[in-house]
Amino acid sequence: MKSHTYTMTIFLSIFFIFPGNVCPSSEKPTTIILGVEDDWAPYCFLNKETGHLDGFTPIVVREAFKKVGINTEYKVIPFSRCMYLALTDVISGCFNAAITRDNKNKYVWPKTPLVNEPLGFFSLTSKSRSYDASGQVGVYELLSGNRVGATLGYSYPTQILENSEITFEKVKSDSVQLDMLLRNRIDFALLGKGSGYYLASKKNIRDQVVDVFTISTDGDFYIALSKATGNGEYLSTMFDKGMLELIKSGEYNELKSQLEQHFNMSTGDISGMQVDANIMTK
C-alpha cells in the first residue's frame, strides 16, 4: 500500500459569503463550497495561534471528495450560522453535524459519518467518586437535579434537552463549559469525549476533570448537505464513495493516527474515533 503523508495544519482560504453555490443544480458540480464550524478542537477549528483552519475532519472531507473528482472550498463560520446557511443554496453543506429528531428531515445525510465522537458528561475528578460510572445508574438519574453545561448552537440528544429535571447553563463555547466546571458553576460539562480531554490538556487541567458517563451511541457526526442546491443526493452518494475508498485504503486511520500525534492525544482519549470498514453495507 502506498504511504500517504498529510499536514495536520491545513492552510485553506476563509471564504466570504457568496451569492450562490459554485455550480447550478442542473449540472454535476466539480467544485463545492462547504461551511466548516470554527470551534470544535481538535477535529475542526480556527487555530488562534496560526490563524488557519486546523483539525481532522476538514482534511477527511477534502480527501474523500478528491477521490471522486470534486474540489472543496471552505467557509469557516460559527456552527449555528453554518447549519442555517446549509438550509439555503449559499453553501452545499455544513459539518460537523449530529443527526437529531429535529434536523434529520431538513438536510440530506450521507450514510458515512466523518467521525464518531462519544458525548461525555465531565465532572470534577474530586467529585467523580460520588457518581456511578459503571452504568448501573442511568443518564437521567445521574443528571437529574444538576446543573449541566451546553454550548449554544450545538446539537445534543433531544431526549436530554427536553428533560425538565435538568438545569441547563448555555454558554458560548466548550472551553467556557470547562471554566464553569472548575468554578463549580455547573455540575457537569456536556462535551465530546475527545474534544473535552483535548481542551482540558490545553488548559493544563487534564487531571482535574473526567468523563463519568459516556453516550457512545450518539457519537456520529456527518456533513449536513443542502437540499436547496438540488445537488444534495448526488453529493451524498459521491461522498460515501470517496469515504469508502479512504477507509478501505487505510488512509482514514492514518489520518487519525496523525491527529493523535499532532495534538499529543492518547488513544484512550479518542477511543470513539473507530471506523467500521463495512459501514457502507449497513
Side-chain angles (χ1 to χ4, degrees), residues 131-139 212-213:
Y131 305 121
D132 183 353
S134 68
Q136 299 302 311
V137 175
V139 63
V212 295
F213 198 102

Side-chain angles (χ1 to χ4, degrees), residues 121 139-140 143 157-163 166 168 190 215:
F121 296 87
V139 63
Y140 295 119
L143 301 179
T158 306
Q159 62 269 32
I160 292 177
L161 292 178
E162 292 181 348
N163 191 324
I166 300 172
F168 285 99
L190 191 53
I215 303 180

Side-chain angles (χ1 to χ4, degrees), residues 45-118:
F45 65 108
L46 188 61
N47 191 319
K48 295 180 180 179
E49 296 176 2
T50 66
H52 298 289
L53 180 63
D54 204 347
F56 178 69
T57 57
I59 298 177
V60 171
V61 170
R62 183 190 68 196
E63 295 302 316
F65 275 119
K66 186 185 291 186
K67 290 284 187 185
V68 293
I70 297 175
N71 297 316
T72 52
E73 298 177 352
Y74 291 152
K75 186 190 305 296
V76 187
I77 46 180
F79 181 71
S80 57
R81 177 67 175 167
C82 184
M83 291 297 282
Y84 169 76
L85 289 179
L87 294 171
T88 73
D89 64 355
V90 171
I91 58 177
S92 289
C94 171
F95 63 93
N96 309 275
I99 301 175
T100 68
R101 188 176 69 198
D102 293 333
N103 71 16
K104 66 180 181 179
N105 294 321
K106 295 179 180 179
Y107 307 93
V108 178
W109 301 95
K111 294 179 181 178
T112 320
L114 287 169
V115 66
N116 182 278
E117 166 78 328

Side-chain angles (χ1 to χ4, degrees), residues 142-173:
L142 182 65
L143 301 179
S144 181
N146 285 298
R147 301 163 299 169
V148 178
T151 300
L152 287 166
Y154 278 22
S155 300
Y156 300 103
T158 306
Q159 62 269 32
I160 292 177
L161 292 178
E162 292 181 348
N163 191 324
S164 60
E165 297 186 8
I166 300 172
T167 300
F168 285 99
E169 298 289 341
K170 296 184 178 181
V171 299
K172 66 179 183 179
S173 70

Side-chain angles (χ1 to χ4, degrees), residues 116-120 213-220 272:
N116 182 278
E117 166 78 328
L119 187 62
F213 198 102
T214 300
I215 303 180
S216 60
T217 56
D218 293 302
D220 286 339

Side-chain angles (χ1 to χ4, degrees), residues 217-278:
T217 56
D218 293 302
D220 286 339
F221 288 83
Y222 299 80
I223 301 179
L225 293 166
S226 173
K227 290 184 175 182
T229 63
N231 291 317
E233 294 292 346
Y234 171 74
L235 292 176
S236 175
T237 299
M238 297 304 285
F239 175 77
D240 282 333
K241 182 178 178 181
M243 276 293 285
L244 185 59
E245 289 189 37
L246 279 182
I247 294 168
K248 285 187 171 181
S249 69
E251 293 170 75
Y252 182 99
N253 283 330
E254 185 177 342
L255 290 172
K256 172 182 174 291
S257 296
Q258 290 185 15
L259 174 80
E260 295 167 354
Q261 296 171 14
H262 182 65
F263 293 113
N264 297 316
M265 298 174 72
S266 70
T267 301
D269 284 351
I270 55 174
S271 59
M273 288 181 56
Q274 301 298 320
V275 178
D276 182 354
N278 298 314

